[in-house]
Amino acid sequence: MKNIGIVIKLTLILLIICAGIFPLFIALVGKLEPNGGKGETIIVNGKAAGYANVGQKFTADKYFWSRPSVVEYNAAGSAGSNKGATNADYLKTVQDRIDTFLVHNPGIEKSAIPAEMVTASGSGLDPDISPASAYVQIKRIAAMRSLPEDQVRSLVEGHVEKPLFGILGPSKINVLKLNVALDALSANKK
Amino acid sequence: MNTELFGVLITFLLTIILAIPLGKYMAKVFAGERTITDFMNPFERLIFRISGIDPKAGMNWKQFLKALLSINLLWFVYAFFVLIFQNKLPLNPDGNPGQTPDLAFNTAISFLVNCNLQHYSGESGLTYFTQLFVVTFLQFVSAATGIAALVALFNGLKEKTTSNLGNFWNLLVKSTTRILLPLSIVMGIILAFNGTPASFDGKDTITTLQGDTVQVSRGPAAGMIAIKQLGTNGGGWFGANSAHPLENPNYFTNIIESIAILLIPMALVFTLGFYLNRKKLAYVIFGVMTFLFLVFVSINIYFETKGNPAIDRLGVAQHIGSMEGKEVRLGSAATAFWSIATTSTSNGSVNGMHDSLTPISGGVAILDMMINALYGGVGVGLLNYYIFIIIAVFISGLMVGRTPEFMGHKVEAREVKIAALITLLSAFLIKSGTALAAYFVSHHPGLAWSVKPAAWLNNPSYHGFSEMLYEYTSSNANNGSGFEGLGDNNIFWNVTTGIVLILGRFLPIIGPVAIAGLLANKKYIPESAGTLRTDSITFGGMTLAVIIIVNALSYFPALALGPLAEYFSLK
C-alpha cells in the first residue's frame, strides 16, 4: 500500500492550493475592486441604506413596491417559494396579492398588473422590477407624494436600465435606487 | 422579449467559440506537449516530489481505479468529520453550528461525487472554513477526478494495444493546475469585479430605506462560485444559488456563469477529437449532443416565456413570462436556457427555482438528467456517452450480422454486459428510490421521524411526485439541483440519496474505465471496408436513437405520473 503516503501528502498539498491560496488570492485581488470585495452599498445622508444588489422590502404606499419575497428580503438567508404551477394554495396566495395590489392602486385594471409583482422571486432578494411594474405604480406614488405624474414618470424613465450593450437580456429598474431618488425628489420639492 | 432570446443565442455561440480552442489546449496538456501554461512545470515537479509520485509511471485499469478510489475515500472521511466539527474550527464569523451526522454524510458524499446536492443552506449550514476547505476543495478535486478518468478512457482508445491508461496522480494534478485553477482565477476575478463578495467579512446588519432591520450574508464567495460552475459542481455559496443577487449580480455575470457551466464538458468533446486525432468522431458526438440540447432548450424557452396558464386565468399580464421563482435581471428565457445547461452537464446550479418551472419544462429538466450525457459532467459526461456508444455499436453489429467493433477492438459479451448494467443501474436507482419515498408518503405519512413523510412535499398531487422523482434523478446523475421545496434535510433523504450518490458516481466511472482497459488489451483489428464506421452521421443517428429508446423505455411511465400528468391537468 504505497498509495497511502501519496494519498495523504497529495491531499494536503491540494488543500493548501485549492482551499487556501486560491480564495486568498481572489480576496486580495477583490480588494482592488471599488468596494473592496464587500459588496456595493448605497449611501444616503452619509449612512449605508443597503446593498445595491440586494433587494429590500418596500410595502409602504409612498414607495415603489418590490416583488413578493418568501424571506421578506432578510438577506441572512435566501429562498424561493418552490411552489408548483398548479398548486391551489399557491394560486390563492397570488390571488390575494392581486387583490391587495388593486386595493392600494385604485384605478388600475387587473390586466395591467405585471405578473412579476404578484409572484415571488427565486432568491427572495430580487433587487429589480421590470419597467412595466414601475409604470403601473406611478399613479399611486404621485398621489401619495403630491407630485405631478409626469415628474414621477420621468424619474422612472431615468432609472430604466437597458439590456446589456442594448441588445442582451431584459430591461429592469433597481427598486432601491429608484426609491432613494424618489425621496430626494420629494425633499427638493419642500 | 427579443433581447432576452438574443442574449441566450449569444451565450450559446460564445460557449462553442471558446470550447474549441480550450479542447485543443487540453489535448496538448494531456499529450504532454508544449502549452502556454508550461510555467507551472517546476511547481508541479515540486508537488510530485513532495508526494513521492512518479508522474511517468503508467497504470493499468485496475491500478488506475485503485488510486482513484483510495484518494476519494480519504477525502470522504476528511470531509465528514470536518463538517461535523465545523463549529469548533476557525473562520466562523456567523457562529454557525456543526452539521448532524446524517447531514454531514450526505454533504460529504455529495461534494465528493461532484453532485453538490445541498440539504442545507449556505448562509447557515456551513462556516467559511468548510465553504473553502471542504466545499471549494472538493469542487476542484472531484472535477479533476472526472477529467482524469476520462483521459484514462482516451488513453485506452488511443493506442492499438496497451495496458497503460496513464498515471492517475499526474492527470489529477494537471487537471487542477492546468485547467481548473487558471480558469477559476480568471472567472473569480470577473465575478469579484461585478459585485460578488470576495472578502472574509461576516454578515452585515443594515437598516433599510423603509426602516426594517435586516442582515446580509457575505463571505469569500467569488472564487468558490467560479469553480462551482467550471467544475460542473453546482453547489452555491448562498441558499438560492445563482438566483441570489450576490452570487449572480447581473446579466453579464449570468452569461459568464452560463458559459462556465457548459465550457469544459463541451471542450472535452473536442479534446477527444484532437487527442485521438479523430476529429470527425468528435464532431458527430458534438452534433448528437447539441441537437438534443437545442431541442430541450427550445421547449423550455417556449414554455417559460409563454407563462403559467393558471396565472393567466387570474387575469394578470405575464408579459415577461412565468416569473415565479425567477429574477427580473435575468429573465425567463435565460433561466430556461440555464435549466437545460445545468441539467445536461450534471452541474446543478440554478438561477431560478426549478420547483416553480412550468410542468413540461420541469419534466424536460428531469429527462435531461436521466440521459445525463449531453456534454455531461466534467469528464463523466463523455464516459456516460461512451456507454451509449458501446450499446449502439452492439445493436448495430447485431443488425448487420457482424461482430461489433469500436475503434479497432472487438466489443464482446463482457463489455456489453458492463455497459448494459450501468444503463440499467440508473433506472433502478431512480425508480426504486422514488417508489420507496412515495410508499412512505402515501402509506405511512405519520411516521414519527424528525420530519414526518406527510411533511416532505411542498406541493400536492402530481407535482409532489415530481419533487421526489427529481431528487433521486438528480442524485443518480450527480447533478445536485432539486425541486427544492422537498423537505430533504432528514435522515431518510440524507441517507437514501447519499447511497444513490455514491453508486451513481463511481459505478459509471468504474464501468467505462474497465471497458476501456479491457478493449485496449485486445488485439487491434485494422479498419477495412467491412468495418462499421463510428464517425459517420448514420452512426450518430444510431446513437441518438439508442439514447432516446433506452431513456423512453426506462422513464416514460415515471414522467407520465409526474410532469406530464400535471401538464394535462393544467389544460
Side-chain angles (χ1 to χ4, degrees):
Chain A
M1 286 308 284
K2 73 178 174 67
N3 273 358
I4 290 183
I6 295 179
V7 160
I8 293 173
K9 285 185 225 162
L10 187 57
T11 300
L12 287 174
I13 294 171
L14 290 172
L15 267 171
I16 293 168
I17 297 171
C18 302
I21 298 172
F22 168 67
L24 277 178
F25 179 74
I26 302 285
L28 281 178
V29 178
K31 286 215 183 297
L32 304 175
E33 190 253 353
N35 305 291
K38 298 177 184 185
E40 181 193 351
T41 45
I42 289 183
I43 308 292
V44 180
N45 302 329
K47 241 182 71 196
Y51 286 81
N53 284 328
V54 180
Q56 296 189 356
K57 186 161 95 173
F58 286 108
T59 45
D61 281 342
K62 63 171 182 168
Y63 284 121
F64 283 97
W65 289 359
S66 40
R67 297 182 60 195
S69 158
V70 177
V71 295
E72 295 296 331
Y73 287 97
N74 187 350
S78 57
S81 73
N82 287 311
K83 296 294 183 193
T86 53
N87 186 328
D89 290 341
Y90 158 67
L91 294 170
K92 184 162 179 317
T93 310
V94 177
Q95 181 63 54
D96 291 345
R97 290 183 190 137
I98 295 172
D99 296 341
T100 309
F101 194 92
L102 290 172
V103 169
H104 287 263
N105 293 274
I108 298 294
E109 292 286 323
K110 190 155 77 168
S111 59
I113 304 174
E116 65 272 19
M117 288 311 289
V118 291
T119 51
S121 62
S123 61
L125 306 171
D126 197 339
D128 305 301
I129 54 177
S130 69
S133 300
Y135 291 133
V136 77
Q137 302 184 56
I138 286 175
K139 206 169 165 183
R140 183 191 80 232
I141 298 289
M144 292 300 298
R145 300 212 173 219
S146 317
L147 288 166
E149 274 187 39
D150 284 349
Q151 210 177 348
V152 181
R153 182 174 302 277
S154 65
L155 182 79
V156 171
E157 278 163 359
H159 276 81
V160 174
E161 296 171 42
K162 292 275 175 225
L164 183 64
F165 308 127
I167 46 171
L168 305 176
S171 301
K172 63 192 174 76
I173 292 177
N174 184 300
V175 188
L176 178 59
K177 288 180 186 169
L178 177 63
N179 280 328
V180 168
L182 182 65
D183 273 351
L185 187 70
S186 293
N188 284 341
K189 203 190 75 171
K190 278 169 197 161
Chain B
M1 190 55 75
N2 285 333
T3 54
E4 289 195 34
L5 290 180
F6 197 59
V8 168
L9 186 69
I10 291 294
T11 306
F12 186 65
L13 291 179
L14 276 176
T15 313
I16 298 179
I17 291 170
L18 290 170
I20 295 173
L22 178 64
K24 197 166 189 173
Y25 162 78
M26 289 194 286
K28 282 186 176 168
V29 167
F30 296 128
E33 291 169 26
R34 292 169 66 97
T35 59
I36 52 162
T37 50
D38 280 349
F39 62 87
M40 294 293 244
N41 262 331
F43 178 57
E44 286 156 358
R45 275 202 297 272
L46 185 68
I47 298 178
F48 291 136
R49 212 178 55 228
I50 299 176
S51 315
I53 294 166
D54 174 9
K56 294 206 172 64
M59 292 181 177
N60 66 32
W61 70 270
K62 284 180 187 157
Q63 292 167 322
F64 192 96
L65 287 174
K66 214 159 113 187
L68 184 153
L69 293 172
S70 58
I71 200 164
N72 270 265
L73 181 67
L74 175 75
W75 294 338
F76 167 71
V77 174
Y78 156 80
F80 178 71
F81 285 105
V82 172
L83 287 167
I84 289 182
F85 295 112
Q86 63 178 359
N87 54 333
K88 303 197 165 52
L89 293 165
L91 288 179
N92 186 10
D94 299 336
N96 291 336
Q99 293 199 347
T100 58
D102 58 303
L103 179 59
F105 171 76
N106 189 279
T107 308
I109 289 177
S110 162
F111 282 89
L112 177 76
V113 305
N114 197 250
C115 174
N116 300 202
L117 201 67
Q118 294 167 297
H119 288 178
Y120 62 89
S121 251
E123 293 94 335
S124 54
L126 292 177
T127 65
Y128 291 176
F129 185 84
T130 43
Q131 288 271 26
L132 299 175
F133 280 82
V134 173
V135 168
T136 308
F137 167 69
L138 288 178
Q139 287 182 331
F140 272 104
V141 294
S142 65
T145 300
I147 297 176
L150 179 64
V151 178
L153 172 76
F154 288 171
N155 285 333
L157 296 175
K158 195 179 166 95
E159 302 296 330
K160 287 184 175 162
T161 300
T162 181
S163 58
N164 178 9
L165 296 187
N167 184 288
F168 173 73
W169 312 119
N170 179 41
L171 294 173
L172 181 77
V173 169
K174 291 237 168 96
S175 301
T176 311
T177 54
R178 300 298 182 100
I179 299 166
L180 299 169
L181 208 50
L183 286 173
S184 300
I185 288 174
V186 172
M187 184 172 161
I189 291 171
I190 293 177
L191 289 175
F193 275 82
N194 274 279
T196 300
S199 82
F200 283 76
D201 298 77
K203 279 198 186 89
D204 193 10
T205 303
I206 50 170
T207 306
T208 67
L209 202 57
Q210 197 178 273
D212 305 314
T213 303
V214 297
Q215 292 187 308
V216 177
S217 290
R218 298 180 296 180
M224 182 268 206
I225 295 166
I227 183 61
K228 141 193 150 183
Q229 303 296 33
L230 288 162
T232 61
N233 293 289
W237 185 275
F238 301 103
N241 209 293
S242 282
H244 196 292
L246 292 177
E247 189 142 349
N248 187 8
N250 55 45
Y251 199 80
F252 176 68
T253 58
N254 192 66
I255 291 180
I256 298 292
E257 291 191 26
S258 302
I259 291 174
I261 289 174
L262 293 165
L263 184 62
I264 296 180
M266 196 186 274
L268 282 168
V269 180
F270 296 115
T271 302
L272 176 143
F274 292 116
Y275 191 69
L276 304 181
N277 202 15
R278 292 198 179 242
K279 295 197 190 71
K280 211 177 151 205
L281 177 66
Y283 296 143
V284 169
I285 295 175
F286 178 75
V288 172
M289 291 176 168
T290 303
F291 171 75
L292 266 183
F293 179 83
L294 290 179
V295 168
F296 289 168
V297 165
S298 308
I299 296 173
N300 279 27
I301 289 185
Y302 171 77
F303 280 104
E304 293 311 301
T305 55
K306 189 161 97 79
N308 176 0
I311 298 284
D312 274 337
R313 250 175 260 142
L314 298 179
V316 292
Q318 294 194 78
H319 63 129
I320 52 173
S322 170
M323 288 303 284
E324 181 71 40
K326 294 197 187 66
E327 301 281 301
V328 168
R329 69 188 176 285
L330 310 176
S332 53
T335 301
F337 177 78
W338 184 304
S339 72
I340 294 303
T342 193
T343 48
S344 291
T345 55
S346 103
N347 182 296
S349 65
V350 296
N351 70 347
M353 295 303 125
H354 284 193
D355 217 345
S356 299
L357 289 173
T358 57
I360 294 294
S361 309
V364 172
I366 297 175
L367 176 61
D368 203 8
M369 291 188 293
M370 289 164 167
I371 297 172
N372 200 24
L374 308 182
Y375 313 124
V378 167
V380 292
L382 263 179
L383 292 180
N384 288 338
Y385 193 89
Y386 178 67
I387 293 288
F388 287 124
I389 289 184
I390 294 292
I391 294 174
V393 163
F394 174 66
I395 294 177
S396 311
L398 287 183
M399 284 163 73
V400 295
R402 258 197 219 103
T403 312
E405 288 166 24
F406 182 59
M407 294 180 70
H409 297 107
K410 274 199 177 113
V411 177
E412 289 167 304
R414 199 161 161 203
E415 292 84 41
V416 175
K417 272 184 203 157
I418 297 175
L421 277 176
I422 299 292
T423 312
L424 294 174
L425 174 82
S426 293
F428 172 74
L429 291 176
I430 292 171
K431 288 191 288 191
S432 55
T434 310
L436 187 68
Y439 170 77
F440 281 116
V441 167
S442 48
H443 290 281
H444 300 284
L447 276 182
W449 291 347
S450 61
V451 181
K452 286 180 183 166
W456 284 349
L457 306 179
N458 191 42
N459 289 283
S461 183
Y462 310 121
H463 195 86
F465 178 80
S466 301
E467 286 182 339
M468 296 184 282
L469 180 64
Y470 197 110
E471 189 72 4
Y472 285 106
T473 309
S474 173
S475 303
N476 175 65
N478 292 171
N479 183 281
S481 63
F483 274 8
E484 291 296 345
L486 185 74
D488 50 18
N489 182 15
N490 54 68
I491 197 155
F492 175 84
W493 288 96
N494 283 334
V495 172
T496 57
T497 57
I499 293 166
V500 173
L501 285 168
I502 298 179
L503 296 174
R505 165 76 168 184
F506 291 106
L507 295 183
I509 285 183
I510 294 170
V513 172
I515 294 177
L518 291 170
L519 287 185
N521 269 324
K522 293 187 187 183
K523 199 162 77 67
Y524 182 79
I525 313 156
E527 284 189 15
S528 66
T531 307
L532 173 75
R533 294 203 64 87
T534 47
D535 58 359
S536 64
I537 293 175
T538 316
F539 185 74
M542 186 68 197
T543 318
L544 180 66
V546 165
I547 292 175
I548 293 172
I549 292 168
V550 165
N551 286 287
L553 288 175
S554 303
Y555 302 116
F556 181 76
L559 289 170
L561 287 174
L564 287 175
E566 189 187 8
Y567 172 70
F568 288 112
S569 74
L570 249 182
K571 287 274 129 175

